[in-house]
Amino acid sequence: MISKEEVIHIAKLARLELTDEDIVNMQKDMSAILDYFEILKKAKTSNSKDQILQLENVLREDEVLLKRSSLAGDLVKLAPERKEEHIKVKQIL
Amino acid sequence: MQLLDLTIRQIHEGLKSKKFTSQEITKAYIEQIKKNDGIIGAYLSLTEDLALEQAKKADIEIEKNNEFPLLTGVPFAVKDAILVEGKIATAGSKILENYVSPYDATVIEKLKREGAVILGKTNLDEFAMGASTENSAFKITKNPHDTSRVAGGSSGGSAASVASNEAVFSLGSDTGGSIRLPASFCGVVGLNPTYGAVSRYGLIALASSLDQIGPFAKNVEDCKIVFKVISGKDKKDATNQNYNFEDSNLKLNGLKIGIPKEYFQEGIDKNVEKVVKDAIKKAEDAGAKITEISLPNSQYAIACYYIIVPSEASANLARYDGIKYGFSEKSAKDLLEVYLKSRGKGLGREPQRRIMLGTYALSSGYYDAYYKKAQEVRELIKKDFVNAFLKVDLIFSPVAPFTAFKVGEKANDPLSMYLVDMYTSAVKLAGLPALSLPAGKADGLPVGLQIIGNYFEESKILSVAEELENLL
């Protein structure tokens, strides 16, 4: 069973504000799901590195692609807070 | 002639011989949606102006040319996680309620180039997280065969739109079963392509090592026509492979079909099992050789899947921060509060649950026990399939252990909802293609047969499915 404190800590790491009721539900749901994950202990995996998915890097040229000139403006327009053509954020320091 | 019953090829022939126009057929679909969708709830938004404009353009093309692409003038629906320039794309989430797509997804660009007509955006579980569309922040899509039941998910709206004649075909996305499951529940054909066969550029990401876009259609041929158009190399998706679809004339006669014994054990509904076994018998009668195979590690698929998906989702969903786009909580006092409150209020329960699980699985001290272990198990699951395909051409199994369940039946029990994917998630973890073919009905509800192929062998799946479709 995952503790309430752990749930609160993980929510903080995940940048989620949870209500007290959310925390209780989350504790219950996560515990049931994490218990279910125990089944993986039965799986006969060897610990060697070469077993993990053989992924390869895909590289491409860093080239300038032509896009319509209005695209940049459209992207900025999606921001909830703006000042002229800039995205506005709260003060950090 | 009933316009709404026509397949892509029939529409193409009709347009060619001037029996009707694209504008007529598009209007017939819009009318059907307006009349019918209040009950079904397949669509989140209609793109009526765009559809009529595209249909008009298609009619001009058809008037000018004797030969035109098969999809010219054909109306279709798009899962609301796929971007259509200038149109809202919510991904079924409040956090993207007012998000206007700044560009077209590659699949949309390709379909536009063919002259296909976009009717609207379809409902889904929030960020494609779910198996019933009940996790949508906006509405529940009902099953057209019984509106007290779910359409399946996460691409439930796309499946229901085709099943209720509200689109000729549609696009969905499959991460763990999100195309095959609703296709099975709604009685339509749905194809989950090989990982890397179709570009995901412009698909709102859930779990990037699994997400694939694929078609829903009324029959196998339509599914193939759409897949041919949307597949192929795209520089904008680095996981996308150079893949040229070539028709196969593989027949059931002499075909080696593997039946995984683990997919017919406890948990499967007897009547569903009977429909699937009857379909396998028909294949055998047509000359196929049926072999029992074993996929022993599939029993770990759900656990493996629900570690990998939340882990990737927790990273992918970090972009919803209340700053760049989407919902932002106005009462926040500082930057941290913008993140916390926007994500706390804007994201629904299931995305929050998965972000939490993923963050937990990836956090220091737990990484080896969960994420690393899951990756190792994933490799075992993949090897099972690789070994099986040394002996057989295709694998047949059920898509789901049961038919469409009642609305609300599993909504408050996330684990039981996760278990719905028990026959579909292993295929995804291995990155393989699979199709759901309507195989018959159990207790009046559609049952899908899952036809699994080897990597990039969609042509074999489609060829055999087309033959079997005529026998069922």
Side-chain angles (χ1 to χ4, degrees):
Chain A
M1 182 94 178
I2 184 169
S3 71
K4 197 175 162 185
E5 288 66 38
E6 275 181 297
V7 172
I8 293 167
H9 175 65
I10 296 291
K12 201 177 135 200
L13 291 177
R15 298 288 187 260
L16 287 174
E17 185 178 86
L18 299 181
T19 64
D20 290 344
E21 193 197 337
D22 289 339
I23 291 167
V24 173
N25 287 328
M26 197 65 83
Q27 189 186 0
K28 181 173 82 75
D29 292 343
M30 284 179 78
S31 296
I33 296 162
L34 292 172
D35 281 349
Y36 179 73
F37 292 163
E38 292 291 307
I39 188 179
L40 291 182
K41 285 190 177 151
K42 286 200 304 177
K44 292 186 187 69
T45 53
S46 64
N47 224 359
S48 76
K49 267 202 178 125
D50 57 31
Q51 273 225 336
I52 305 203
L53 294 178
Q54 290 111 31
L55 302 174
E56 45 184 293
N57 284 323
V58 178
L59 303 172
R60 62 167 175 81
E61 290 298 314
D62 186 17
E63 47 190 351
V64 178
L65 299 175
L66 285 176
K67 297 275 178 189
R68 60 186 168 88
S69 57
S70 53
L71 183 61
D74 285 353
L75 290 172
V76 175
K77 253 188 257 165
L78 289 168
E81 293 275 348
R82 295 179 303 274
K83 193 173 182 185
E84 289 152 22
E85 70 272 36
H86 301 287
I87 295 172
K88 202 173 147 191
V89 293
K90 300 269 185 226
Q91 194 175 338
I92 294 167
L93 294 173
Chain B
M1 182 173 31
Q2 181 46 275
L3 280 181
L4 302 179
D5 290 333
L6 302 179
T7 65
I8 293 173
R9 193 169 292 281
Q10 288 166 336
I11 291 172
H12 182 72
E13 296 305 328
L15 291 170
K16 212 169 179 179
S17 56
K18 313 274 191 283
K19 278 197 191 119
F20 46 79
T21 64
S22 173
Q23 289 174 84
E24 280 163 8
I25 195 153
T26 300
K27 281 177 189 158
Y29 270 99
I30 291 171
E31 205 179 296
Q32 165 75 355
I33 296 165
K34 287 185 175 166
K35 200 177 73 192
N36 197 41
D37 204 48
I39 304 160
I40 303 297
Y43 285 87
L44 285 176
S45 56
L46 286 188
T47 53
E48 191 172 344
D49 291 349
L50 174 65
L52 293 173
E53 182 197 313
Q54 286 179 309
K56 199 172 165 186
K57 228 176 103 191
D59 283 334
I60 295 169
E61 280 300 308
I62 293 163
E63 196 58 47
K64 271 199 305 202
N65 304 305
N66 272 330
E67 293 300 322
F68 49 90
L70 277 167
L71 290 176
T72 302
V74 178
F76 73 106
V78 184
K79 186 177 187 177
D80 207 23
I82 299 172
L83 306 191
V84 175
E85 189 178 323
K87 303 296 170 198
I88 298 273
T90 66
S93 180
K94 284 273 175 208
I95 211 161
L96 289 178
E97 193 168 8
N98 300 310
Y99 176 74
V100 179
S101 307
Y103 58 90
D104 276 330
T106 296
V107 288
I108 296 299
E109 211 180 282
K110 287 182 169 183
L111 288 165
K112 278 184 174 174
R113 216 181 295 142
E114 295 289 300
V117 173
I118 301 168
L119 290 167
K121 306 296 293 293
T122 56
N123 195 25
L124 65 153
D125 288 295
E126 187 169 354
F127 289 108
M129 296 173 179
S132 68
T133 78
E134 290 166 293
N135 291 337
S136 166
F138 304 105
K139 57 164 85 162
I140 297 171
T141 300
K142 309 289 172 38
N143 193 309
H145 296 269
D146 175 352
T147 53
S148 72
R149 292 174 186 274
V150 300
S154 68
S155 314
S158 293
S161 70
V162 174
S164 57
N165 276 346
E166 294 180 11
V168 181
F169 71 92
S170 63
L171 294 181
S173 64
D174 195 312
T175 303
S178 288
I179 290 176
R180 290 159 289 157
L181 183 79
S184 175
F185 280 10
C186 292
V188 297
V189 180
L191 174 68
N192 159 62
T194 311
Y195 184 73
V198 178
S199 168
R200 291 100 46 90
Y201 180 73
L203 169 69
I204 295 173
L206 163 54
S208 304
S209 77
L210 296 144
D211 298 342
Q212 265 299 285
I213 294 173
F216 290 94
K218 291 174 183 171
N219 66 11
V220 177
E221 189 195 18
D222 281 6
C223 202
K224 181 162 81 179
I225 293 167
V226 179
F227 177 67
K228 269 187 188 175
V229 170
I230 61 173
S231 59
K233 184 72 186 158
D234 176 23
K235 279 202 293 192
K236 293 173 193 154
D237 177 353
T239 64
N240 196 224
Q241 301 286 317
N242 206 351
Y243 173 50
N244 283 317
F245 181 88
E246 274 177 40
D247 272 308
S248 153
N249 53 8
L250 194 70
K251 291 277 169 254
L252 281 167
N253 192 9
L255 187 81
K256 281 176 273 174
I257 298 171
I259 311 295
K261 62 175 184 202
E262 293 84 1
Y263 286 49
F264 291 88
Q265 286 168 355
E266 54 181 311
I268 188 165
D269 177 275
K270 287 288 156 229
N271 296 331
V272 168
E273 185 178 359
K274 187 175 180 307
V275 172
V276 174
K277 288 207 161 150
D278 285 351
I280 294 169
K281 183 75 182 42
K282 292 257 171 65
E284 192 174 17
D285 292 344
K289 269 189 268 169
I290 310 293
T291 321
E292 188 182 84
I293 58 163
S294 177
L295 301 169
N297 292 293
S298 280
Q299 61 173 314
Y300 307 122
I302 296 281
C304 178
Y305 179 86
Y306 278 100
I307 291 172
I308 290 172
V309 170
S311 296
E312 293 184 19
S314 70
N316 273 331
L317 271 63
R319 71 191 69 179
Y320 307 106
D321 57 2
I323 304 279
K324 298 184 289 291
Y325 44 78
F327 171 77
S328 188
E329 175 54 38
K330 297 278 179 256
S331 73
K333 286 186 210 68
D334 54 30
L335 190 66
L336 183 61
E337 273 204 356
V338 175
Y339 300 151
L340 292 169
K341 289 183 187 293
S342 302
R343 291 162 64 78
K345 287 192 181 168
L347 295 170
R349 278 212 175 139
E350 184 59 25
Q352 289 190 347
R353 208 178 277 133
R354 295 207 194 177
I355 289 171
M356 290 288 287
L357 278 169
T359 306
Y360 183 78
L362 293 174
S363 63
S364 171
Y366 296 101
Y367 178 86
D368 281 358
Y370 293 107
Y371 188 73
K372 187 164 168 281
K373 180 75 180 177
Q375 291 292 16
E376 287 166 2
V377 174
R378 183 176 186 173
E379 196 59 29
L380 294 180
I381 291 168
K382 191 178 155 190
K383 275 186 182 155
D384 281 354
F385 281 104
V386 170
N387 289 335
F389 280 117
L390 295 175
K391 287 174 277 180
V392 300
D393 300 303
L394 295 171
I395 295 171
F396 281 16
S397 87
V399 171
F402 30 68
T403 53
F405 44 88
K406 291 266 184 193
V407 172
E409 193 181 318
K410 295 178 190 291
N412 295 317
D413 183 356
L415 188 57
S416 80
M417 191 69 90
Y418 293 176
L419 293 172
V420 175
D421 289 332
M422 61 194 291
Y423 302 140
T424 51
S425 54
V427 172
K428 286 302 306 198
L429 290 165
L432 292 164
L435 176 137
S436 175
L437 180 71
K441 285 188 172 179
D443 309 312
L445 293 165
V447 173
L449 169 74
Q450 180 168 228
I451 305 180
I452 307 163
N454 211 340
Y455 296 101
F456 298 104
E457 291 191 347
E458 281 83 352
S459 57
K460 284 189 184 173
I461 296 177
L462 290 161
S463 172
V464 167
E466 216 169 333
E467 189 186 345
L468 196 55
E469 183 177 48
N470 296 317
L471 302 173
L472 295 174

